[in-house]
Amino acid sequence: MNDTRAEIPIIDAHQHFWNLSTNYYPWLQDPDPIPFRYGDYSPLKRNYLPADLRRDIGSYRVVKTVHIEAEWDRSRPVAETEWLHALSRREGLPTVCVAHAALDAPDTDETLYRQSRFSIVRGIRHKPAAAGSPGEAKRGAPGSMDDPQWRKGYGILESLGLSFDLQTPWWHLDAASNLARDFPNTPIIINHTGLPADRSPEGLAAWRNALERVAACPNVAIKISGLGQKGLPWSLESNGPVIRDAIAIFGVDRAMFASNYPVDSLVASYGTIVAGFLAAIADRPMAEQHKLTHDNAARIYRL
C-alpha cells in the first residue's frame, strides 16, 4: 500500500473494549462458553482497552471509533455506558457508543431514557431472537422483530433520537425491512454485513436477495465487518466479492467500514482487515473511498 492510501481517514464503526479485571461479561467470564461462529474464542478472554486497539491499528489513520455494546452483565446495562463514558474522557476512545437495552423488558422505557442521557450514546443494540438456519426461520417468534412487546420498546427510539444497530442473520432481514418501513424515522445499521456465513453460490445468492430487500428502505445502512470464516484465514479472494456486493446493493452512501475488533482478531490482524477492505474498494474514486471509510460513519453516527 502506498503512502497516500495509508493516509485515508478511517472511522472504525464497530469495535469493543472490555476490562475483565473490574467488569462482568458473562460470555467471556462464565465457565461454560457460548456457541460462537468463529469457534474457540478463548483468546478473547483478556482485557482489551484503548492502548490495545491503538497497538493493533498500527500506522493506519483511524481517527474515531464507535463502540458497540459488548454483552456486559445484562442486569446492569447502563453501567457499561457509565464505564465507557469515563474511559472516553480519560483515553480519548471510544468516540461514541451504541448501548444496550432489552427492548422487550418491562422497564425498557426507563433504561432507554437513562442510556440516552449520556452524550457518548448514539444508538441501541438488542439482538432480536433468531433462528439458527434459514430453514428454521419463521416470523412472529417471541423476542423477534415481529414481537409486539419488542416493537413497543423499539418505538421509543425515535423520540430519544436513537438509532438501532441490528445484528441478525440475513434470513431475518425480511422482518427488518418491515421494521424499517413501519418506523421510517429510526435509522437501522445492519451489523457484520448481514452475516453471510454460507459462501456457497446458493448461500450468497440468498444473502444478496435478503440485502436487496432491506436496502430498499432508505433508513437502513450496513457495516461491512465480521467477514471471518471458521477455520479459514481472512482473504481478499474470499471477502472482496462480498464487500463489493454489499456496497453495490446499499450504494456508496449507506455502507461503511468496521473492524469488529478484538473479536475479529480470531481470524485476522487489524492491518489485514483494513488492507483487504481498501483493496476491495481501490477501483472507486477517492471521494467514494472516503465515504466508505469515514464520511458515512461520521454522518450516520453523528460524529
Side-chain angles (χ1 to χ4, degrees), residues 222-299:
I222 193 166
K223 289 192 284 196
I224 299 175
S225 61
L227 294 177
Q229 297 172 270
K230 185 178 179 180
L232 296 174
W234 201 106
S235 72
L236 180 61
E237 179 182 8
S238 175
N239 293 324
V242 176
I243 293 169
R244 289 187 284 268
D245 283 350
I247 295 169
I249 291 168
F250 273 85
V252 74
D253 292 313
R254 289 191 290 147
M256 64 191 107
F257 167 81
S259 75
N260 194 33
Y261 244 62
V263 175
D264 274 32
S265 66
L266 296 171
V267 295
S269 70
Y270 198 98
T272 295
I273 294 171
V274 175
F277 184 85
L278 293 178
I281 65 171
D283 60 339
R284 290 184 172 273
M286 190 56 69
E288 292 189 358
Q289 293 185 42
H290 281 216
K291 285 184 177 183
L292 294 164
T293 65
H294 178 278
D295 300 352
N296 294 341
R299 183 187 77 253

Side-chain angles (χ1 to χ4, degrees), residues 166 173-178 180-181 188 190 209-220 250 254:
L166 172 62
L173 291 181
D174 56 341
S177 65
N178 292 150
R181 290 190 176 97
I188 295 175
I190 294 173
N209 288 338
L211 288 195
E212 288 167 0
R213 179 170 179 172
V214 74
C217 305
N219 55 324
V220 182
F250 273 85
R254 289 191 290 147

Side-chain angles (χ1 to χ4, degrees), residues 6-258:
E7 281 301 305
I8 290 178
I10 296 170
I11 292 175
D12 188 338
H14 195 115
Q15 56 88 195
H16 308 283
F17 292 130
W18 46 72
N19 186 339
L20 306 186
S21 304
T22 59
N23 305 325
Y24 175 43
Y25 300 82
W27 71 288
L28 291 168
Q29 293 169 286
D30 287 355
D32 295 328
I34 63 169
F36 200 71
R37 61 195 177 97
Y38 290 159
D40 177 23
Y41 64 91
S42 56
L44 299 179
K45 296 181 178 184
R46 58 186 172 87
N47 292 348
Y48 194 82
L49 296 165
D52 302 297
L53 180 61
R54 289 187 168 107
R55 180 197 63 234
D56 288 335
I57 288 169
S59 61
Y60 287 100
R61 190 182 164 205
V62 177
V63 296
K64 295 178 181 179
T65 76
V66 181
H67 183 284
I68 309 301
E69 61 90 14
E71 307 276 351
W72 176 292
D73 178 3
R74 290 311 196 208
S75 69
R76 302 173 61 242
V78 180
E80 182 179 29
T81 310
E82 293 171 342
W83 177 72
L84 288 168
H85 181 76
L87 187 70
S88 177
R89 289 172 67 92
R90 185 172 67 249
E91 302 285 350
L93 288 176
T95 312
V96 297
C97 75
V98 171
H100 178 266
L103 296 180
D104 53 356
D107 62 346
T108 191
D109 53 346
E110 178 186 353
T111 301
L112 288 171
Y113 177 78
R114 291 177 64 198
Q115 296 284 34
S116 73
R117 296 305 89 190
F118 289 90
S119 60
I120 196 175
V121 170
R122 293 294 182 272
I124 294 294
R125 183 172 78 163
H126 176 210
K127 297 175 184 176
S133 69
E136 298 172 274
K138 61 181 180 179
R139 299 292 298 268
S144 73
M145 287 178 274
D146 297 318
D147 183 342
Q149 184 67 22
W150 193 94
R151 280 179 155 238
K152 181 180 178 182
Y154 186 90
I156 300 171
L157 299 178
E158 180 184 350
S159 66
L160 296 174
L162 297 171
S163 60
F164 184 69
D165 261 57
L166 172 62
Q167 183 160 327
T168 196
W170 57 260
W171 49 84
H172 289 293
L173 291 181
D174 56 341
S177 65
N178 292 150
L179 187 71
R181 290 190 176 97
D182 291 345
F183 299 90
N185 296 321
T186 300
I188 295 175
I189 303 99
I190 294 173
N191 290 185
H192 303 330
T193 334
L195 299 171
D198 180 357
R199 299 297 177 88
S200 69
E202 297 78 13
L204 287 174
W207 166 76
R208 286 191 296 268
N209 288 338
L211 288 195
E212 288 167 0
R213 179 170 179 172
V214 74
C217 305
N219 55 324
V220 182
I222 193 166
K223 289 192 284 196
I224 299 175
S225 61
L227 294 177
Q229 297 172 270
K230 185 178 179 180
L232 296 174
W234 201 106
S235 72
L236 180 61
E237 179 182 8
S238 175
N239 293 324
V242 176
I243 293 169
R244 289 187 284 268
D245 283 350
I247 295 169
I249 291 168
F250 273 85
V252 74
D253 292 313
R254 289 191 290 147
M256 64 191 107
F257 167 81

